[in-house]
């Protein structure tokens, strides 16, 4: 099943036009689970965006990162407006962003889920350079003159690697993995039932002794052959 990890700000990349209320650092104010501390951005400073670095993320054992989204807790001083949630990496303020509604009461807003390769979700081990930011007050109505961002989060959806039970069958249909096939030089390879943790099939391949001998996209075939094999030892 999916595991969604949440990472919070640990440092401030750029303050832009934001100020911290009542005081302190932007990253501390937006990771303390308190509406009393927040980043204040006046309408006059829109476009002078702020950006925070979030903590390092390592997937659980046997899981891989699948997608990512940004999430904030925000309000206006009055009326309504919109704000952009930026999601970036390294020196980039945003690879993706989403414009969200803001009202005069604190509420959580979030982006869509993103899978852009630029986020580095396929990075092995720790991913330590993801950014979240804002500073784009727009469409103000009803006296809105500022936004107050109290909390920032980056959610990372991780899925377990595919699980399956492959077989190597001889001419009689007997599973011979670890044994010797003696009645045919064209054994049948079987993927078996594949569990993908709720995700669609992307691609598949069959490798013999380190060489890909068959591959495709989508669902793997129920059975396949690598053709005529010479006598010898093979690792699939």
């Amino acid at each position: 099943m999916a595991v969604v990890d949440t990472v919070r700000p640990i440092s401030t990349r750029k303050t832009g036009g934001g100020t911290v209320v009542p005081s302190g650092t932007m990253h501390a104010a937006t990771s303390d689970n308190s509406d009393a501390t927040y980043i204040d951005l006046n309408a006059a400073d829109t476009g002078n965006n702020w950006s925070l670095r979030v903590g390092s993320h390592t997937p659980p054992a046997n899981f891989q990162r699948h997608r990512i989204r940004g999430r904030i807790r925000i309000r206006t001083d009055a009326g309504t407006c919109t704000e952009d949630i930026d999601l970036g990496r390294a020196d980039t303020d945003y690879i993706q962003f989403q414009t969200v509604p803001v009202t005069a009461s604190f509420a959580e807003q979030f982006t869509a889920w993103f899978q852009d390769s630029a986020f580095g979700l396929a990075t092995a081990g720790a991913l330590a350079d993801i950014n979240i930011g804002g500073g784009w007050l727009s469409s103000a109505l009803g006296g809105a003159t500022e936004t107050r961002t109290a909390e920032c989060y980056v959610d990372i959806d991780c899925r377990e690697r595919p699980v399956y039970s492959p077989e190597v069958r001889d001419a009689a249909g007997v599973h011979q993995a670890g044994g010797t096939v003696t009645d045919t030089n064209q054994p049948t390879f079987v993927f078996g039932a594949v569990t993908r943790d709720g995700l669609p099939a992307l691609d598949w391949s069959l490798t013999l002794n380190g060489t890909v001998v068959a591959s495709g996209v989508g669902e793997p075939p129920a059975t396949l052959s690598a053709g005529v094999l010479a006598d010898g030892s093979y690792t699939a």
Side-chain angles (χ1 to χ4, degrees):
M1 62 181 295
V3 172
V4 178
D5 295 325
T6 300
V7 287
R8 307 295 302 275
I10 60 169
S11 64
T12 302
R13 293 184 60 247
K14 55 189 293 187
T15 58
T19 57
V20 179
V21 176
S23 62
T25 63
M26 288 185 170
H27 58 278
T30 55
S31 61
D32 62 359
N33 300 317
S34 171
D35 290 343
T37 60
Y38 53 85
I39 298 173
D40 183 283
L41 183 93
N42 292 317
D45 292 313
T46 188
N48 188 10
N49 61 303
W50 49 267
S51 180
L52 312 175
R53 175 66 46 82
V54 299
S56 176
H57 174 263
T58 300
N62 298 323
F63 280 72
Q64 293 181 331
R65 300 178 196 89
H66 172 53
R67 56 186 184 170
I68 188 172
R69 74 174 182 181
R71 183 161 51 98
I72 61 175
R73 183 169 171 82
I74 189 172
R75 63 162 290 179
T76 63
D77 55 331
T80 63
C81 69
T82 63
E83 167 66 299
D84 290 355
I85 303 175
D86 296 337
L87 269 183
R89 185 185 180 201
D91 295 329
T92 303
D93 290 348
Y94 59 89
I95 296 167
Q96 288 280 8
F97 71 91
Q98 185 153 342
T99 303
V100 297
V102 187
T103 70
S105 298
F106 274 115
E108 282 195 4
Q109 301 292 341
F110 47 85
T111 69
W113 288 101
F114 301 122
Q115 294 178 295
D116 304 58
S117 60
F119 284 117
L121 300 181
T123 301
L127 181 61
D129 55 358
I130 296 295
N131 311 318
I132 187 170
W136 309 93
L137 189 159
S138 185
S139 303
L141 295 171
T145 63
E146 64 184 50
T147 57
R148 302 171 181 176
T149 305
E151 305 297 327
C152 293
Y153 318 81
V154 172
D155 298 323
I156 301 176
D157 180 345
C158 299
R159 303 297 178 101
E160 193 171 14
R161 67 186 183 188
V163 177
Y164 59 103
S165 300
E167 296 184 5
V168 181
R169 296 178 182 173
D170 61 18
V174 178
H175 180 34
Q176 294 286 1
T180 302
V181 175
T182 60
D183 60 356
T184 181
N185 58 5
Q186 297 185 63
T188 299
F189 295 88
V190 181
F191 279 96
V194 183
T195 301
R196 288 184 292 272
D197 204 1
L199 301 178
L202 294 179
D203 52 56
W204 58 269
S205 64
L206 170 64
T207 302
L208 290 182
N209 291 353
T211 299
V212 176
V213 297
S215 63
V217 296
E219 291 285 346
T223 64
L224 73 156
S225 171
V228 177
L229 302 178
D231 291 347
S233 178
Y234 296 88
T235 300

